[in-house]
Every structure is written in C-alpha cells, then in structure tokens.
Amino acid sequence: MRVIDAGLDVRAFFTTRDGGASAPPFAGLNLATHVGDDPAAVASNRDAVARHAGAPVTFLTAEHGIAVAHITEPGQVGPTADALVTNVPGVALAAIAADCVPILLHDAASGAVAAVHAGREGLFAGVIDAAVAALIDLRGGPRVTGKLSASIGPAVCGRCYEVPAQLRARVAARHPSALSSTRIGTPALDLPRAVETRLAELGCHPIVRSRLCTVENENLFSHRRDGVTGRIAGVIVCP
Ligand SMILES: [Zn+2]
C-alpha cells in the first residue's frame, strides 16, 4: 500500500489506489461500501488501512451537508456525517473521497483530530466551519484560535472541474478563491484552493496541501473521470 503522508504532527495519511483487493473498476484499494464493489474486498481493504494506521478506523459516509459526529470508541461505526471528530487517544478517523476534498485536522492545543469530506455543496454549506467549531468545542474553554493544523488531500483541481457559469458564480460569491477556469477557458471551480482559503480564515496554520489532481492521476480514484469507481481516504489517528 502506497500512501501520501499528510505532513501533520500525528499519524495521518491519504491512501491511493495502490494495493488492495478490489477488482476493476474499483481496483485496487477502494474504501467505499456504497459504490457497488464486493463487500469482502472493501472489508479487506479497510483492514489493510487499519493495520497501516495502527488502530481500528471509523469511516465517514458523507451526505454533502455539515453534520459533525463525535467518535468516542476505537472502531466505532460512524453515523452518516460529513465530518468526524474525536479527542479519544487511539481513535482513527477516515474521510473518503473521489474528487471531493478530504481534509485532516489536528488541534495541538487539545490533541483532538478531525476527518472532513468537503465537496462543492458541503463547502458551500459550511462543513469546514462546522468541523473547526467542533474541534474548538472539544477544548472546553474559550474559543481561542491557533494551534490548529490542517492537511488537504488529493482532489479535482481548478483546471479539471468544469461547471456551468451560473454554478461557478453561486459558489464564488461565497468563496471567491474557488473561481477558476479550465485549460480551454470555460468556467470551473477550484475546490482545494477554496478549502485552503477558508481553513486559513478560520486560523488553521500550517496548512499542508497536496497538489495531486484526482482526475489527472491514474493512481487515484476520480468519479468525474471514470463514473463508477472507488474512493481513497484521508486517515488520522488521535494521539
Ligand atoms: Zn486537474
């Protein structure tokens, strides 16, 4: 299994397609149960990720909203949510994605961590704000900023995510840095850049950002490129 280190001070990484038991079109390390893959293969793949993490992993199932779930036991089955947070040592959280933006957060002030799935609609609805607020709540004190670090995983880039002009205008009105154009000049959205901007506005520092585009890299899953396909995951372990 080849993973991308998230560059945070805790155990945190992003998976790729490399390794895994899934057959095409999900080959190989598909971590999603809802895409039509063989459940036994997904279970085997998730076990491999847990071994790599060194802890049982709770995977979130996103619904493109702003629901945040607190996970309190290692290996707990997560409810449907767009962000998972925990401050329990040994709990590992994972956000799956294929073009949408997986985000991992670590609060050095409390040791709490979060895994977030931010697609276009989740970003627009405020999932990043919700996840950061949940982490700050876990401090139990005043809402101080600082000591929150973030890592943004592979996602569709601003050159590949073509959208209708009206949709670009709607998202860019709230997230100006999302405004982008494709290589041929048609309207596009840059979700990773908008995510980075919002995390910085909320006081996250440092912010590590993968520049890998899911559409452009065959070693990553891309829903936009392939339609029926698997999902990678961003995984973070609470220290
Ligand atoms: Zn791209």
mmCIF file of all heavy atoms in Angstrom, residues 88-127:
data_model
loop_
_atom_site.group_PDB
_atom_site.id
_atom_site.type_symbol
_atom_site.label_atom_id
_atom_site.label_comp_id
_atom_site.label_asym_id
_atom_site.label_seq_id
_atom_site.Cartn_x
_atom_site.Cartn_y
_atom_site.Cartn_z
ATOM 1 N N VAL A 88 -10.343 11.169 21.746
ATOM 2 C CA VAL A 88 -10.038 9.931 22.457
ATOM 3 C C VAL A 88 -8.800 9.281 21.836
ATOM 4 O O VAL A 88 -8.826 8.901 20.651
ATOM 5 C CB VAL A 88 -11.231 8.949 22.389
ATOM 6 C CG1 VAL A 88 -10.893 7.639 23.089
ATOM 7 C CG2 VAL A 88 -12.472 9.595 22.997
ATOM 8 N N PRO A 89 -7.716 9.159 22.618
ATOM 9 C CA PRO A 89 -6.490 8.560 22.067
ATOM 10 C C PRO A 89 -6.754 7.163 21.503
ATOM 11 O O PRO A 89 -7.478 6.366 22.116
ATOM 12 C CB PRO A 89 -5.559 8.501 23.282
ATOM 13 C CG PRO A 89 -6.030 9.611 24.174
ATOM 14 C CD PRO A 89 -7.520 9.641 24.003
ATOM 15 N N GLY A 90 -6.177 6.887 20.331
ATOM 16 C CA GLY A 90 -6.333 5.582 19.722
ATOM 17 C C GLY A 90 -7.508 5.475 18.780
ATOM 18 O O GLY A 90 -7.679 4.452 18.114
ATOM 19 N N VAL A 91 -8.330 6.510 18.699
ATOM 20 C CA VAL A 91 -9.421 6.519 17.722
ATOM 21 C C VAL A 91 -8.876 7.049 16.398
ATOM 22 O O VAL A 91 -8.228 8.084 16.353
ATOM 23 C CB VAL A 91 -10.602 7.396 18.203
ATOM 24 C CG1 VAL A 91 -11.597 7.621 17.070
ATOM 25 C CG2 VAL A 91 -11.292 6.737 19.383
ATOM 26 N N ALA A 92 -9.137 6.295 15.322
ATOM 27 C CA ALA A 92 -8.704 6.707 13.986
ATOM 28 C C ALA A 92 -9.932 7.052 13.148
ATOM 29 O O ALA A 92 -10.920 6.326 13.164
ATOM 30 C CB ALA A 92 -7.900 5.595 13.321
ATOM 31 N N LEU A 93 -9.843 8.152 12.423
ATOM 32 C CA LEU A 93 -10.965 8.650 11.628
ATOM 33 C C LEU A 93 -10.568 8.697 10.161
ATOM 34 O O LEU A 93 -9.417 8.983 9.836
ATOM 35 C CB LEU A 93 -11.354 10.059 12.083
ATOM 36 C CG LEU A 93 -11.611 10.256 13.575
ATOM 37 C CD1 LEU A 93 -11.886 11.742 13.854
ATOM 38 C CD2 LEU A 93 -12.777 9.392 14.038
ATOM 39 N N ALA A 94 -11.543 8.455 9.273
ATOM 40 C CA ALA A 94 -11.252 8.497 7.843
ATOM 41 C C ALA A 94 -12.377 9.176 7.082
ATOM 42 O O ALA A 94 -13.556 8.932 7.324
ATOM 43 C CB ALA A 94 -11.043 7.086 7.296
ATOM 44 N N ALA A 95 -11.974 10.027 6.135
ATOM 45 C CA ALA A 95 -12.910 10.667 5.210
ATOM 46 C C ALA A 95 -12.619 10.134 3.816
ATOM 47 O O ALA A 95 -11.489 10.222 3.345
ATOM 48 C CB ALA A 95 -12.740 12.181 5.246
ATOM 49 N N ILE A 96 -13.626 9.541 3.155
ATOM 50 C CA ILE A 96 -13.409 9.015 1.815
ATOM 51 C C ILE A 96 -13.831 10.040 0.770
ATOM 52 O O ILE A 96 -14.696 10.888 1.021
ATOM 53 C CB ILE A 96 -14.151 7.678 1.590
ATOM 54 C CG1 ILE A 96 -15.669 7.851 1.764
ATOM 55 C CG2 ILE A 96 -13.625 6.605 2.527
ATOM 56 C CD1 ILE A 96 -16.457 6.609 1.366
ATOM 57 N N ALA A 97 -13.205 9.947 -0.412
ATOM 58 C CA ALA A 97 -13.500 10.894 -1.475
ATOM 59 C C ALA A 97 -12.966 10.386 -2.807
ATOM 60 O O ALA A 97 -12.087 9.524 -2.847
ATOM 61 C CB ALA A 97 -12.871 12.259 -1.160
ATOM 62 N N ALA A 98 -13.544 10.923 -3.877
ATOM 63 C CA ALA A 98 -13.007 10.694 -5.223
ATOM 64 C C ALA A 98 -13.329 11.949 -6.029
ATOM 65 O O ALA A 98 -14.343 12.021 -6.703
ATOM 66 C CB ALA A 98 -13.617 9.467 -5.875
ATOM 67 N N ASP A 99 -12.520 12.948 -5.911
ATOM 68 C CA ASP A 99 -12.618 14.303 -6.491
ATOM 69 C C ASP A 99 -12.987 15.335 -5.433
ATOM 70 O O ASP A 99 -12.472 16.452 -5.449
ATOM 71 C CB ASP A 99 -13.616 14.426 -7.646
ATOM 72 C CG ASP A 99 -13.220 13.587 -8.855
ATOM 73 O OD1 ASP A 99 -12.018 13.270 -8.988
ATOM 74 O OD2 ASP A 99 -14.113 13.239 -9.639
ATOM 75 N N CYS A 100 -13.949 15.009 -4.544
ATOM 76 C CA CYS A 100 -14.220 15.892 -3.417
ATOM 77 C C CYS A 100 -12.957 15.974 -2.563
ATOM 78 O O CYS A 100 -12.035 15.182 -2.716
ATOM 79 C CB CYS A 100 -15.369 15.370 -2.568
ATOM 80 S SG CYS A 100 -16.978 15.506 -3.382
ATOM 81 N N VAL A 101 -12.925 16.941 -1.634
ATOM 82 C CA VAL A 101 -11.686 17.233 -0.906
ATOM 83 C C VAL A 101 -11.683 16.569 0.466
ATOM 84 O O VAL A 101 -12.507 16.910 1.313
ATOM 85 C CB VAL A 101 -11.506 18.758 -0.729
ATOM 86 C CG1 VAL A 101 -10.113 19.064 -0.178
ATOM 87 C CG2 VAL A 101 -11.755 19.493 -2.037
ATOM 88 N N PRO A 102 -10.766 15.618 0.699
ATOM 89 C CA PRO A 102 -10.606 15.077 2.052
ATOM 90 C C PRO A 102 -9.669 15.988 2.858
ATOM 91 O O PRO A 102 -8.618 16.386 2.365
ATOM 92 C CB PRO A 102 -9.968 13.705 1.812
ATOM 93 C CG PRO A 102 -9.227 13.839 0.523
ATOM 94 C CD PRO A 102 -9.873 14.951 -0.275
ATOM 95 N N ILE A 103 -10.088 16.307 4.083
ATOM 96 C CA ILE A 103 -9.310 17.229 4.928
ATOM 97 C C ILE A 103 -9.067 16.574 6.280
ATOM 98 O O ILE A 103 -9.989 15.996 6.867
ATOM 99 C CB ILE A 103 -10.082 18.549 5.148
ATOM 100 C CG1 ILE A 103 -10.512 19.175 3.826
ATOM 101 C CG2 ILE A 103 -9.233 19.544 5.951
ATOM 102 C CD1 ILE A 103 -11.643 20.184 3.978
ATOM 103 N N LEU A 104 -7.837 16.674 6.772
ATOM 104 C CA LEU A 104 -7.497 16.172 8.097
ATOM 105 C C LEU A 104 -7.064 17.347 8.959
ATOM 106 O O LEU A 104 -6.307 18.213 8.512
ATOM 107 C CB LEU A 104 -6.365 15.137 7.992
ATOM 108 C CG LEU A 104 -6.686 13.923 7.101
ATOM 109 C CD1 LEU A 104 -5.453 13.036 6.943
ATOM 110 C CD2 LEU A 104 -7.871 13.132 7.657
ATOM 111 N N LEU A 105 -7.572 17.377 10.203
ATOM 112 C CA LEU A 105 -7.271 18.489 11.114
ATOM 113 C C LEU A 105 -6.704 17.953 12.421
ATOM 114 O O LEU A 105 -7.144 16.907 12.912
ATOM 115 C CB LEU A 105 -8.555 19.282 11.419
ATOM 116 C CG LEU A 105 -9.307 19.891 10.240
ATOM 117 C CD1 LEU A 105 -10.657 20.439 10.691
ATOM 118 C CD2 LEU A 105 -8.473 20.997 9.601
ATOM 119 N N HIS A 106 -5.746 18.680 12.972
ATOM 120 C CA HIS A 106 -5.173 18.313 14.276
ATOM 121 C C HIS A 106 -5.074 19.558 15.133
ATOM 122 O O HIS A 106 -4.528 20.570 14.710
ATOM 123 C CB HIS A 106 -3.777 17.699 14.084
ATOM 124 C CG HIS A 106 -3.039 17.501 15.368
ATOM 125 N ND1 HIS A 106 -1.766 17.984 15.585
ATOM 126 C CD2 HIS A 106 -3.414 16.885 16.528
ATOM 127 C CE1 HIS A 106 -1.378 17.663 16.801
ATOM 128 N NE2 HIS A 106 -2.348 17.004 17.403
ATOM 129 N N ASP A 107 -5.613 19.459 16.338
ATOM 130 C CA ASP A 107 -5.554 20.575 17.287
ATOM 131 C C ASP A 107 -4.494 20.264 18.333
ATOM 132 O O ASP A 107 -4.726 19.454 19.236
ATOM 133 C CB ASP A 107 -6.919 20.770 17.950
ATOM 134 C CG ASP A 107 -6.933 21.990 18.860
ATOM 135 O OD1 ASP A 107 -5.898 22.703 18.901
ATOM 136 O OD2 ASP A 107 -7.965 22.243 19.504
ATOM 137 N N ALA A 108 -3.341 20.920 18.212
ATOM 138 C CA ALA A 108 -2.246 20.663 19.153
ATOM 139 C C ALA A 108 -2.595 21.129 20.557
ATOM 140 O O ALA A 108 -1.994 20.679 21.537
ATOM 141 C CB ALA A 108 -0.964 21.350 18.666
ATOM 142 N N ALA A 109 -3.585 22.011 20.671
ATOM 143 C CA ALA A 109 -3.972 22.521 21.992
ATOM 144 C C ALA A 109 -4.657 21.447 22.831
ATOM 145 O O ALA A 109 -4.533 21.422 24.050
ATOM 146 C CB ALA A 109 -4.893 23.731 21.830
ATOM 147 N N SER A 110 -5.379 20.533 22.174
ATOM 148 C CA SER A 110 -6.140 19.522 22.909
ATOM 149 C C SER A 110 -5.786 18.091 22.517
ATOM 150 O O SER A 110 -6.140 17.148 23.218
ATOM 151 C CB SER A 110 -7.638 19.732 22.663
ATOM 152 O OG SER A 110 -7.951 19.414 21.317
ATOM 153 N N GLY A 111 -5.125 17.924 21.387
ATOM 154 C CA GLY A 111 -4.854 16.592 20.854
ATOM 155 C C GLY A 111 -5.983 16.055 19.997
ATOM 156 O O GLY A 111 -5.872 14.970 19.431
ATOM 157 N N ALA A 112 -7.073 16.791 19.898
ATOM 158 C CA ALA A 112 -8.221 16.329 19.118
ATOM 159 C C ALA A 112 -7.902 16.357 17.621
ATOM 160 O O ALA A 112 -7.073 17.149 17.159
ATOM 161 C CB ALA A 112 -9.442 17.201 19.400
ATOM 162 N N VAL A 113 -8.575 15.472 16.880
ATOM 163 C CA VAL A 113 -8.389 15.396 15.433
ATOM 164 C C VAL A 113 -9.750 15.330 14.742
ATOM 165 O O VAL A 113 -10.768 15.008 15.373
ATOM 166 C CB VAL A 113 -7.534 14.176 15.019
ATOM 167 C CG1 VAL A 113 -6.136 14.249 15.621
ATOM 168 C CG2 VAL A 113 -8.225 12.862 15.414
ATOM 169 N N ALA A 114 -9.738 15.615 13.432
ATOM 170 C CA ALA A 114 -10.970 15.552 12.640
ATOM 171 C C ALA A 114 -10.649 15.060 11.239
ATOM 172 O O ALA A 114 -9.552 15.287 10.719
ATOM 173 C CB ALA A 114 -11.637 16.921 12.570
ATOM 174 N N ALA A 115 -11.613 14.362 10.636
ATOM 175 C CA ALA A 115 -11.559 13.992 9.223
ATOM 176 C C ALA A 115 -12.814 14.561 8.573
ATOM 177 O O ALA A 115 -13.924 14.353 9.061
ATOM 178 C CB ALA A 115 -11.510 12.468 9.056
ATOM 179 N N VAL A 116 -12.613 15.283 7.471
ATOM 180 C CA VAL A 116 -13.706 16.040 6.860
ATOM 181 C C VAL A 116 -13.809 15.718 5.371
ATOM 182 O O VAL A 116 -12.790 15.588 4.687
ATOM 183 C CB VAL A 116 -13.463 17.566 7.021
ATOM 184 C CG1 VAL A 116 -14.664 18.368 6.526
ATOM 185 C CG2 VAL A 116 -13.112 17.918 8.453
ATOM 186 N N HIS A 117 -15.040 15.593 4.882
ATOM 187 C CA HIS A 117 -15.307 15.439 3.451
ATOM 188 C C HIS A 117 -15.917 16.744 2.961
ATOM 189 O O HIS A 117 -17.000 17.125 3.420
ATOM 190 C CB HIS A 117 -16.284 14.282 3.227
ATOM 191 C CG HIS A 117 -16.798 14.163 1.830
ATOM 192 N ND1 HIS A 117 -16.354 13.209 0.944
ATOM 193 C CD2 HIS A 117 -17.730 14.884 1.157
ATOM 194 C CE1 HIS A 117 -16.983 13.349 -0.203
ATOM 195 N NE2 HIS A 117 -17.824 14.352 -0.110
ATOM 196 N N ALA A 118 -15.228 17.442 2.063
ATOM 197 C CA ALA A 118 -15.733 18.722 1.570
ATOM 198 C C ALA A 118 -15.877 18.677 0.059
ATOM 199 O O ALA A 118 -14.906 18.826 -0.680
ATOM 200 C CB ALA A 118 -14.808 19.866 1.982
ATOM 201 N N GLY A 119 -17.075 18.441 -0.404
ATOM 202 C CA GLY A 119 -17.385 18.612 -1.818
ATOM 203 C C GLY A 119 -17.888 20.025 -2.035
ATOM 204 O O GLY A 119 -17.876 20.860 -1.133
ATOM 205 N N ARG A 120 -18.367 20.264 -3.244
ATOM 206 C CA ARG A 120 -18.844 21.616 -3.566
ATOM 207 C C ARG A 120 -19.968 22.046 -2.639
ATOM 208 O O ARG A 120 -19.949 23.138 -2.073
ATOM 209 C CB ARG A 120 -19.318 21.636 -5.021
ATOM 210 C CG ARG A 120 -19.782 23.001 -5.492
ATOM 211 C CD ARG A 120 -20.417 22.892 -6.860
ATOM 212 N NE ARG A 120 -21.709 22.231 -6.767
ATOM 213 C CZ ARG A 120 -22.102 21.243 -7.569
ATOM 214 N NH1 ARG A 120 -21.313 20.786 -8.509
ATOM 215 N NH2 ARG A 120 -23.303 20.703 -7.421
ATOM 216 N N GLU A 121 -20.952 21.184 -2.455
ATOM 217 C CA GLU A 121 -22.116 21.577 -1.655
ATOM 218 C C GLU A 121 -21.781 21.647 -0.160
ATOM 219 O O GLU A 121 -22.283 22.511 0.554
ATOM 220 C CB GLU A 121 -23.278 20.621 -1.916
ATOM 221 C CG GLU A 121 -23.853 20.764 -3.324
ATOM 222 C CD GLU A 121 -24.209 22.201 -3.687
ATOM 223 O OE1 GLU A 121 -24.824 22.902 -2.853
ATOM 224 O OE2 GLU A 121 -23.875 22.635 -4.800
ATOM 225 N N GLY A 122 -20.940 20.724 0.316
ATOM 226 C CA GLY A 122 -20.541 20.758 1.723
ATOM 227 C C GLY A 122 -19.733 22.007 2.043
ATOM 228 O O GLY A 122 -19.946 22.657 3.069
ATOM 229 N N LEU A 123 -18.812 22.325 1.159
ATOM 230 C CA LEU A 123 -18.032 23.557 1.328
ATOM 231 C C LEU A 123 -18.963 24.755 1.387
ATOM 232 O O LEU A 123 -18.864 25.606 2.278
ATOM 233 C CB LEU A 123 -17.050 23.716 0.157
ATOM 234 C CG LEU A 123 -16.346 25.068 0.060
ATOM 235 C CD1 LEU A 123 -15.295 25.208 1.147
ATOM 236 C CD2 LEU A 123 -15.700 25.253 -1.320
ATOM 237 N N PHE A 124 -19.897 24.803 0.432
ATOM 238 C CA PHE A 124 -20.814 25.938 0.339
ATOM 239 C C PHE A 124 -21.692 26.044 1.592
ATOM 240 O O PHE A 124 -21.970 27.132 2.097
ATOM 241 C CB PHE A 124 -21.703 25.783 -0.906
ATOM 242 C CG PHE A 124 -22.503 26.993 -1.235
ATOM 243 C CD1 PHE A 124 -21.922 28.076 -1.884
ATOM 244 C CD2 PHE A 124 -23.850 27.068 -0.897
ATOM 245 C CE1 PHE A 124 -22.661 29.212 -2.183
ATOM 246 C CE2 PHE A 124 -24.598 28.207 -1.197
ATOM 247 C CZ PHE A 124 -24.002 29.275 -1.843
ATOM 248 N N ALA A 125 -22.091 24.894 2.123
ATOM 249 C CA ALA A 125 -22.964 24.884 3.301
ATOM 250 C C ALA A 125 -22.204 25.185 4.590
ATOM 251 O O ALA A 125 -22.824 25.505 5.610
ATOM 252 C CB ALA A 125 -23.666 23.536 3.406
ATOM 253 N N GLY A 126 -20.879 25.063 4.564
ATOM 254 C CA GLY A 126 -20.091 25.427 5.745
ATOM 255 C C GLY A 126 -19.519 24.255 6.530
ATOM 256 O O GLY A 126 -19.316 24.350 7.734
ATOM 257 N N VAL A 127 -19.211 23.146 5.845
ATOM 258 C CA VAL A 127 -18.718 21.974 6.577
ATOM 259 C C VAL A 127 -17.364 22.238 7.243
ATOM 260 O O VAL A 127 -17.083 21.690 8.313
ATOM 261 C CB VAL A 127 -18.655 20.735 5.650
ATOM 262 C CG1 VAL A 127 -17.572 20.865 4.588
ATOM 263 C CG2 VAL A 127 -18.447 19.467 6.471
#
